């Protein structure tokens, strides 16, 4: 039978504040276990939370950038559950009165059309510690460094209808948060995490099916694979007459299956009640407007501007604005040489290739660029002026990456300037024609495809330095005479 997928996503985004949300401990990732801790985040008796104003500002930024209504009045709540990585036995979160409500994120579907995914809410909370289950054989360890790091939980409506749409939504959301510079979006380090609520129903039905929550997905690819598996599992179960149960399942990336973890908790299981140690959160209209004025140009606006101002295809504009630092790099290159399409090709091709190969894109901002933008622009200028060919530029680029030299230095030192004078090119063409009389006869008898052979031989004779356009013109003329 055919079914319709109904998917909602809950994203936890760690905020890039210097300190934790309710204490002064460092929130930096990668410290030795349990180093970034204090009586507050370890929940020692008598320790009380103090709210980090910067974390609230980041929450307001996220709400405004996703078209939410930012609440003037929100309230903290205690979410009670008892895991080893939660020393208080409860998590300070928000429940019935969150910071942000009713936003949206627009994505592009598999078919290429636009689709709007509604947001239910964005609320603030503290992160938990981390259980480490495979360090000491049959025992588990707990690292509390992450405990108390500020989180935003971004909850979508069940508007997503496929694994591909879920991936598009997550990529778009991460890009927005990175543009805002409030989250680095690193899924491997856990600073951008996703739980998927997945159910199916018959097409045309209005009631939701039995919801299953999937956890333990640390990449976009794993999210998409987990959802695809779960949709097939649920459809097969219903086809066989089985009853689905509401539960939490773990994604096993090695076996590429979901496994049952526990029955799914509901709100009453957490016994929410207002947090007595923190006052309600009051956000003035003046503060909201101050944050709004400080928002950067966001991805959609920048993509539209790139397409309009630089006459780029939509695909180019999309790739270049996927990361803020890449968009900044591109604009800096264009500032030094006005050939937007050529620079786009080089950034999307060779620059991003080396960034991927060297894994330079794991951080929020790429600092160690393979080639500075002004040098990339200088190389494109050499191509446009006819001093080097596109083929020679490939070797110049690699040399720039390996040595750090400027393109002009490399061209001068290695004698790579393009030959545009007709004399040397004619000499090379005549040499090739004289050396291949049989192929010349075949070409003149109608085998036009041999022209590429003559071009290759003439290029070889000029060590790849001949101006391709001039070479083609002179070669055609000689072969026709």
């Amino acid at each position: 039978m055919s079914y319709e997928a109904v998917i909602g996503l809950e994203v936890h985004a760690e905020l890039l504040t210097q300190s934790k949300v309710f204490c002064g401990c460092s929130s930096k990732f990668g410290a030795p276990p349990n180093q970034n801790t204090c009586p507050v985040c370890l929940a020692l008796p008598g320790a009380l939370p103090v709210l980090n104003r910067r974390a609230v500002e980041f929450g307001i930024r996220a709400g405004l950038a996703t078209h939410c209504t930012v609440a003037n009045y929100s309230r903290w709540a205690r979410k009670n559950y008892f895991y080893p990585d939660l020393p208080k036995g409860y998590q300070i979160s928000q429940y019935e009165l969150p910071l942000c409500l009713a936003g949206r994120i627009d994505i592009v579907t598999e078919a290429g059309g636009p689709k709007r995914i509604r947001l239910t809410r964005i609320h603030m909370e503290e992160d938990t510690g981390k259980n480490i289950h495979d360090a000491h054989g049959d025992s588990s360890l707990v690292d509390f460094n992450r405990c108390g790091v500020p989180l935003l939980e971004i909850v979508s409506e069940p508007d997503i209808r496929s694994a591909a749409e879920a991936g598009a939504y997550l990529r778009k959301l991460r890009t927005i948060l990175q543009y805002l510079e409030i989250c680095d979006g690193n899924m491997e380090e856990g600073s951008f995490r996703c739980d998927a609520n997945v159910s199916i129903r018959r097409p045309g039905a209005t009631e939701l099916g039995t919801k299953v929550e999937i956890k333990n997905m640390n990449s976009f690819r794993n999210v998409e694979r987990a959802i695809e598996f779960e949709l097939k599992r649920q459809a097969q179960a219903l086809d066989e007459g089985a009853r689905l149960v509401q539960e939490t399942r773990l994604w096993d990336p090695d076996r590429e299956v979901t496994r049952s973890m526990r029955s799914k908790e509901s709100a009453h299981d957490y016994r929410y009640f207002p947090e007595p140690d923190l006052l309600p959160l009051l956000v003035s209209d003046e503060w909201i407007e101050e944050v709004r004025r400080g928002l950067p140009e966001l991805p959609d606006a920048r993509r539209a501007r790139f397409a309009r101002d630089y006459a780029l295809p939509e695909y180019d504009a999309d790739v270049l604005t996927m990361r803020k630092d890449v968009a900044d790099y591109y604009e800096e290159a264009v500032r030094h040489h006005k050939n937007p399409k050529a620079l786009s090709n080089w950034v999307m091709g060779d620059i991003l290739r080396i960034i991927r190969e060297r894994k330079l894109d794991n951080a929020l901002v790429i600092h160690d660029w393979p080639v500075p933008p002004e040098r990339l622009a200088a190389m494109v200028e050499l191509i446009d002026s006819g001093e080097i060919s596109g083929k020679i530029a490939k070797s110049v680029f690699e040399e720039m990456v390996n040595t750090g030299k400027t393109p002009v230095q490399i061209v001068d030192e290695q004698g790579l300037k393009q030959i545009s004078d007709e004399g040397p090119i004619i000499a090379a063409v005549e040499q090739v024609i004289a050396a291949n009389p049989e192929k010349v006869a075949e070409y003149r008898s109608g085998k036009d495809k041999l022209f590429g052979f003559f071009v290759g031989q003439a290029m070889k004779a000029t060590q790849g330095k001949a101006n391709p356009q001039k070479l083609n013109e002179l070669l055609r003329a000689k072969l026709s005479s």
Side-chain angles (χ1 to χ4, degrees), residues 41 106 137 148 168 171 225-226 248 262 276 304 330 416 422 428 444:
C41 52
D106 295 325
R171 290 179 177 89
R225 285 179 171 178
T248 297
R262 61 175 182 265
Y330 170 75
L416 297 176
E422 289 190 4
R444 286 173 175 168

Side-chain angles (χ1 to χ4, degrees), residues 7-313:
I7 303 162
L9 299 180
E10 299 172 6
V11 171
H12 288 86
E14 284 188 356
L15 298 178
L16 286 172
T17 53
Q18 295 295 311
S19 58
K20 295 183 180 181
V21 65
F22 297 122
C23 67
C25 291
S26 171
S27 59
K28 188 175 182 181
F29 178 84
N34 297 307
Q35 177 172 302
N36 297 337
T37 57
C38 72
V40 174
C41 52
L42 291 177
L44 299 186
L48 293 173
V50 177
L51 179 59
N52 183 335
R53 177 185 171 91
R54 186 74 162 164
V56 178
E57 179 191 320
F58 283 4
I60 297 170
R61 276 195 213 177
L64 293 174
T66 54
H67 311 282
C68 289
T69 298
V70 179
N72 296 118
Y73 180 95
S74 58
R75 192 166 64 194
W76 301 101
R78 286 190 180 181
K79 181 181 182 181
N80 293 272
Y81 57 98
F82 302 98
Y83 296 158
D85 57 5
L86 198 63
K88 291 193 292 289
Y90 62 86
Q91 179 187 37
I92 299 178
S93 181
Q94 292 181 322
Y95 180 47
E96 73 273 278
L97 296 174
L99 179 63
C100 305
L101 286 165
R104 66 179 187 272
I105 290 179
D106 295 325
I107 65 168
V108 177
T109 66
E110 302 156 270
K115 180 169 182 177
R116 178 157 293 175
I117 308 299
R118 294 170 297 157
L119 300 184
T120 309
R121 57 193 278 145
I122 300 177
H123 66 260
M124 299 184 64
E125 59 188 22
E126 59 181 341
D127 209 344
T128 62
K130 184 176 182 181
N131 293 323
I132 303 168
H133 298 298
D134 54 357
H136 270 265
D138 59 352
S139 62
S140 293
L141 303 178
V142 185
D143 180 3
F144 289 113
N145 278 343
R146 197 175 71 181
C147 200
V149 169
L151 278 182
L152 291 183
E153 181 167 347
I154 303 165
V155 183
S156 82
E157 290 286 326
D159 292 343
I160 298 167
R161 294 293 174 264
S162 70
E165 284 185 13
Y169 167 86
L170 289 173
R171 290 179 177 89
K172 181 68 170 291
L173 175 57
R174 185 176 74 161
T175 298
I176 292 171
L177 299 181
Q178 289 176 327
Y179 264 69
L180 296 171
E181 298 182 347
I182 64 174
C183 175
D184 63 19
N186 192 321
M187 295 188 78
E188 290 183 358
E189 293 180 359
S191 56
F192 186 84
R193 312 194 294 272
C194 168
D195 299 334
N197 294 310
V198 179
S199 65
I200 60 175
R201 64 187 177 189
R202 296 285 175 81
T206 55
E207 291 186 7
L208 297 176
T210 302
K211 179 174 64 175
V212 170
E213 182 182 41
I214 312 173
K215 290 183 175 289
N216 193 39
M217 301 172 291
N218 64 353
S219 71
F220 296 129
R221 188 173 178 82
N222 278 334
V223 171
E224 291 166 345
R225 285 179 171 178
I227 290 173
E228 286 173 354
F229 174 86
E230 186 59 25
L231 292 173
K232 291 177 183 176
R233 185 192 73 83
Q234 292 184 23
Q236 182 178 348
L238 291 182
D239 286 346
E240 294 172 354
R243 187 176 68 88
L244 294 172
V245 296
Q246 185 169 322
E247 62 179 337
T248 297
R249 298 178 70 89
L250 287 176
W251 170 244
D252 185 333
D254 297 322
R255 295 182 176 87
E256 295 196 352
V257 299
T258 61
R259 294 186 286 106
S260 183
M261 177 184 177
R262 61 175 182 265
S263 61
K264 171 64 178 166
E265 296 96 337
S266 299
H268 67 267
D269 294 317
Y270 293 124
R271 295 184 293 115
Y272 283 102
F273 63 87
E275 167 58 62
D277 291 335
L278 285 166
L279 292 169
L281 178 56
L282 304 179
V283 176
S284 66
D285 290 336
E286 290 75 19
W287 191 11
I288 295 171
E289 289 309 309
E290 179 186 337
V291 173
R292 192 191 304 276
R293 287 193 296 272
L295 291 178
E297 183 182 32
L298 293 170
D300 284 348
R302 199 168 201 184
R303 184 183 306 108
R305 180 170 63 81
F306 273 28
R308 181 186 67 247
D309 293 356
Y310 301 131
L312 294 177

